[in-house]
């Protein structure tokens, strides 16, 4: 992995967060900067894209046909389409490698049914394969207006935390739609525990208040290392700040992710070596502990 290589940006966000629209804004921003990205659409159920995808999962699998053929519901159809596409991942990576010398950014749009990408085996295969090849950053897109209440804010942060620890990749939260509502309240809640407590007391009572109180304490460490940026897919506000955070995440990839991955690979190699030695030991033991006739046959005449 060379530090001169391209950057993979994986866009993740709940349905309605404006994830795909934000990806289109990023696409336009990079074209303005004379660094056009290579765009990959991984959502088989999207009806229409606001951008031209260089690789489109819909060209490989027909989501509605998969639903009909396997007698599946919408989510099952998306997941099965995703699994079928993953079987051709080697072809996608071959294209990525060919484009690597001429492309600075690869953008990956994922399904709005967020769990299908983050918690499926196929999603893990894709993220791990990308991260093993080039710097890979996860951008978690949040619908800022919908996150203005403490309860929805907390559920979004819990989801962000789970995605970070599931992927273990450089990660940032992009608060979208800041042209409608500023994300400063969210930054304030993350930085000032008491401010969140006060907002909580104004809106929640009883068990939920106690639960979110406890969760906010748990997330305090998560907040201290979290990259946050406010953006607007509609106006383009915050694009410079977004890419400044992406640059920070790429530095983290080389400083922390790569050494950690090397350690894991070394540990895996050591374990495989031990397993082989153990198998060889058992084999030699089995060969030596034989009946007298076989031992006699093995002796030189």
């Amino acid at each position: 992995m060379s530090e001169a290589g391209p950057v993979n940006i994986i866009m993740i966000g709940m349905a309605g967060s404006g994830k795909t629209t934000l990806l289109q804004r990023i696409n336009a921003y990079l074209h303005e900067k004379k660094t056009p990205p290579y765009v990959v659409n991984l959502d088989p159920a999207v009806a229409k894209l606001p951008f031209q995808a260089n690789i489109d999962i819909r060209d490989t699998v027909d989501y509605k046909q998969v639903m009909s053929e396997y007698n599946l519901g919408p989510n099952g159809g998306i997941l099965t389409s995703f699994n079928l596409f993953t079987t051709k991942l080697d072809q996608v990576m071959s294209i990525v490698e060919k484009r690597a010398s001429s492309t600075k950014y690869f953008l990956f749009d994922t399904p709005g049914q967020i769990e299908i990408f983050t918690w499926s085996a196929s999603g893990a295969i894709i993220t791990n394969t990308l991260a093993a090849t080039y710097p890979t950053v996860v951008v978690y897109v949040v619908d800022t207006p919908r996150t203005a209440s403490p309860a929805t804010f907390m559920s979004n942060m819990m989801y962000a935390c789970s995605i970070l620890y599931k992927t273990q990749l450089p990660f940032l939260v992009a608060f979208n739609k800041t042209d409608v509502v500023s994300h400063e309240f969210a930054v304030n809640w993350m930085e000032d525990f008491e401010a969140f407590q006060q907002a909580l007391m104004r809106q929640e009572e009883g068990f939920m208040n106690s639960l979110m109180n406890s969760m906010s304490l748990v997330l305090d460490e998560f907040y201290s290392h979290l990259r946050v940026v406010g953006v607007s897919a509609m106006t383009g506000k915050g694009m410079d700040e977004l890419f400044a955070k992406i640059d920070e995440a790429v530095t983290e990839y080389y400083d922390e992710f790569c050494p950690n991955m090397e350690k894991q690979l070394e540990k895996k190699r050591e374990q495989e070596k031990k397993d082989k030695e153990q198998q060889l030991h058992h084999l030699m033991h089995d060969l030596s502990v034989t009946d007298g006739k076989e031992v006699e046959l093995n002796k030189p005449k």
Side-chain angles (χ1 to χ4, degrees):
M1 287 173 287
S2 168
E3 292 201 24
V7 178
N8 297 316
I9 301 174
I10 301 175
M11 305 290 290
I12 294 176
M14 294 185 186
S17 64
K19 167 184 59 63
T20 300
T21 311
L22 180 58
L23 190 145
Q24 163 57 12
R25 174 60 66 178
I26 292 171
N27 184 30
Y29 173 83
L30 290 173
H31 272 92
E32 286 173 16
K33 296 287 183 182
K34 309 298 182 188
T35 54
Y38 200 79
V39 183
V40 181
N41 173 45
L42 297 176
D43 187 352
V46 65
K48 189 177 181 181
L49 289 173
F51 51 81
Q52 182 67 43
N54 299 100
I55 297 175
D56 195 330
I57 187 173
R58 296 175 302 171
D59 295 335
T60 304
V61 287
D62 186 324
Y63 159 68
K64 289 184 178 178
Q65 187 179 333
V66 167
M67 281 178 63
S68 174
E69 188 175 334
Y70 294 96
N71 196 26
L72 299 167
N75 283 0
I78 294 172
L79 180 58
T80 303
S81 298
F82 208 54
N83 291 339
L84 291 169
F85 178 78
T86 305
T87 64
K88 300 182 183 295
L89 186 59
D90 57 331
Q91 295 174 33
V92 175
M93 293 310 299
S94 175
I95 295 169
V96 168
E97 286 169 19
K98 285 176 184 175
R99 296 280 180 174
S101 60
S102 59
T103 307
K104 190 173 181 182
Y105 295 102
F106 286 85
L107 307 180
F108 294 83
D109 194 20
T110 60
Q113 289 77 359
I114 196 169
E115 68 283 353
I116 288 173
F117 186 82
T118 54
W119 295 103
S120 69
S122 296
I125 290 167
I126 289 172
T127 52
N128 292 340
T129 303
L130 292 173
T133 313
Y134 300 112
T136 301
V137 179
V138 173
V139 177
Y140 179 59
V141 184
V142 174
D143 184 335
T144 309
R146 288 187 187 174
T147 311
S149 77
T152 52
F153 170 80
M154 182 56 65
S155 63
N156 252 299
M157 291 303 100
M158 291 295 289
Y159 225 122
C161 185
S162 69
I163 292 168
L164 169 62
Y165 288 107
K166 178 70 170 66
T167 62
Q168 296 186 14
L169 287 169
F171 183 88
L172 68 93
V173 174
F175 282 95
N176 192 21
K177 305 182 185 178
T178 54
D179 56 298
V180 179
V181 174
S182 170
H183 72 299
E184 291 306 317
F185 75 88
V187 174
N188 188 35
W189 285 350
M190 283 186 251
E191 293 177 349
D192 187 344
F193 178 77
E194 289 183 3
F196 181 74
Q197 298 302 306
Q198 289 169 5
L200 198 55
M201 285 187 285
R202 286 194 296 269
Q203 295 193 26
E204 306 293 338
E205 292 181 1
F207 170 71
M208 283 300 293
N209 192 315
S210 175
L211 176 63
M212 284 191 285
N213 232 323
S214 303
M215 289 194 297
S216 62
L217 285 168
V218 170
L219 289 174
D220 195 46
E221 178 69 17
F222 170 65
Y223 294 152
S224 66
H225 299 288
L226 186 63
R227 292 181 194 85
V228 173
V229 63
V231 296
S232 170
M234 190 62 65
T235 67
K237 181 183 175 184
M239 288 297 105
D240 290 339
E241 292 86 349
L242 173 66
F243 275 88
K245 296 292 182 183
I246 287 172
D247 287 343
E248 287 178 16
V250 170
T251 301
E252 180 193 330
Y253 173 88
Y254 287 115
D255 292 347
E256 297 180 28
F257 179 81
C258 287
N260 185 47
M261 187 168 65
E262 282 299 324
K263 284 180 185 176
Q264 290 178 350
L265 287 172
E266 184 59 34
K267 195 181 290 186
K268 186 180 178 183
R269 284 193 288 265
E270 285 178 8
Q271 187 59 50
E272 286 174 351
K273 185 180 177 183
K274 284 180 183 177
D275 291 344
K276 284 180 182 177
E277 287 175 351
Q278 198 169 16
Q279 287 171 7
L280 183 62
H281 174 76
H282 287 318
L283 177 63
M284 297 305 291
H285 182 265
D286 290 344
L287 287 171
S288 62
V289 182
T290 52
D291 59 41
K293 290 181 181 178
E294 191 168 349
V295 171
E296 197 68 38
L297 286 170
N298 288 332
K299 287 184 179 180
K301 292 180 180 178

